[in-house]
Amino acid sequence: MARPPKLDVRHVSLEHYNERTRQALAVLDDIDLQLQEGELVSIVGPSGCGKTTFLNAVDGLIAVTGGEIRVDGRLVDRPGPDRAFVFQHDSLFPWRTVVRNITYGLELQGRLARPDMQERARALVDLVGLKGFEEHYPHELSGGMRQRVNIARALAVSPELLLLDEPFAALDAQTREFMQFELMKILARAKATALFITHQISEAIFLSNRIVVFSARPARIKDIVAVDLPAVRTLAMKHDPGFVALESRIWRLIEEEAARTGMIAAA
Amino acid sequence: MDATSPPTDNETRAMRRPSRRTWWRRNENWILGSLSMLAFLCFWEVAVRAGAVNPLFTSSPSRIVMTGFAMFADGSIYEHLQASGTEFFIGFALAVVVGVPLGILMGWYSRLNAVLEPFVSALYATPRIALLPLVVIWFGIGLGSKVAIVFLGAIFPILVNTITGVRTIDADFIKVARSFGSTDRQMFLTVALPSSVPLLLTGLRLGLGHALVGIVVGEMYGATQGLGYLIAVAGARFQTDKVMVGILLIASLGIALTELLRAIERRFERWRPNQRG
């Protein structure tokens, strides 16, 4: 492949030093991962294995202790405009309206004039299906709508790479299903490259081209599973035999890890 | 669900307005409150007229109103109002001008907080009125001592609440700002400042109460004019009607200013849920 990968993670390891116990805890161990442009990749793994830490490291919020992370060939050492993070809790600023929340990143960057920011925000409001709610405050929106704003806020800065940390964890099961479908369409329309974390295996399969399975801590890449489903997916596909087979295959991988660390009793 | 379709039931739930109430239910509270107040005033008036209580001790609503009118008519009240008003506005304004920026700085820079915190805690815990003799020694019995005592009364609630406001910023907001590459200055302006506004305004409201106490006690302790002075002198001469007029004026001032601040709070907290009622 001639083109350099959009995200290039090489031999990344990370140790967390605990001030109180004065012990270093290995969180990530020799992670190697490449994302091509337009790829949607999700990370699954046992709870507490270091998925979120890894995503924070890619965003530049946490420094790695070994290896390097590059986005478009540029070394990641701090948060940058080429990446945007969608947090688990929507974390919208309650004192800003929908539009002003979406323009937040642009305001910090100061690259656009205010009318241009407004215009882009309105286009994104459209994209995430919130037309008519531009001037609403977050408390006037439901959980699903707030998460859409959260995603729009990240997309507003036109990131090269979108990082999503369990964006739907706080939603009820039904809304969550709908939002998966919405997110799939939004990412396709925005032509985004995205890396996301989820606990829900069916969500991972539904949303991604590849699934990275992390081992228990310290996290290594246990396996990378390609999802050979049509690019355009429907929620009904979750009941296809191929989908279900993939689901149980990934579940077995996670189960192995959980059993290995005694999180569940080995069969 | 399509991106352009209206939100589902699930999603509209959060936006539904409270159902329209009847006129009575909307106004019930203040009507009942006014009626009970009116009943109390009538009872008071009747008790005095029937000779059940001595007006020398209790005055009566009609006497208070008459005395009040007379004091405004002959102009004797104005010097007191002006004196108290001046003390209050200078003292309170100084407290805001010093307290808010200092509170923000102390909330933001933990070193500065560590240096100043013992003083703030000690003075906040001390009834500021106890400092009155000192303040009079330093500033005399004129305007200066009253401004100082109003300032001392108002600044600590403002300071302490502003510090708390800045210190209790939601960690998620800080993370969002950092993730978008915010500078320290942007973090301060777009996260720290707006999220501390609610507590800052609460501080102003609490400070207001302390400032009023400061005026009255300050003027009672040593002054030549002002509402507190008026109350003290009239009280010493058993002019109960005048005492009551002074109390009413102070109370009205307090209520008016508190309501003004409430209105400002509402204006700033449009984005907060449960503001109505």
Side-chain angles (χ1 to χ4, degrees), chain A residues 31 36 50 162 170 177 221:
Chain A
I31 305 281
Q36 300 303 326
L162 197 60
E177 296 274 315
I221 293 185

Side-chain angles (χ1 to χ4, degrees), chain B residues 140-198:
Chain B
I141 61 164
L143 182 67
S145 60
K146 259 61 77 187
V147 166
I149 205 76
V150 168
F151 173 81
L152 284 173
I155 192 169
F156 292 102
I158 295 175
L159 200 56
V160 168
N161 277 284
T162 309
I163 293 170
T164 312
V166 175
R167 298 203 82 134
T168 52
I169 301 166
D170 194 330
D172 281 350
F173 295 151
I174 294 178
K175 229 173 142 186
V176 170
R178 278 192 59 208
S179 169
F180 279 116
S182 101
T183 61
D184 278 357
R185 190 173 156 272
Q186 287 172 325
M187 180 79 78
F188 179 75
L189 289 175
T190 65
V191 179
L193 210 51
S195 58
S196 60
V197 162

Side-chain angles (χ1 to χ4, degrees), chain B residues 18-86:
Chain B
S19 61
R20 190 174 275 277
R21 293 175 183 176
T22 63
W23 180 87
W24 170 250
R25 291 192 88 192
R26 264 204 312 277
N27 296 293
E28 186 181 1
N29 283 351
W30 74 263
I31 292 175
L32 288 181
S34 311
L35 284 178
S36 70
M37 185 58 119
L38 203 64
F40 170 73
L41 290 175
C42 289
F43 173 76
W44 184 2
E45 185 71 39
V46 168
V48 171
R49 298 216 170 188
V53 290
N54 186 348
L56 185 64
F57 297 127
T58 64
S59 186
S60 79
S62 59
R63 281 162 187 256
I64 296 170
V65 171
M66 304 275 275
T67 311
F69 271 118
M71 288 168 81
F72 274 99
D74 67 15
S76 62
I77 191 76
Y78 291 113
E79 61 162 326
H80 301 300
L81 277 178
Q82 199 193 351
S84 294
T86 310

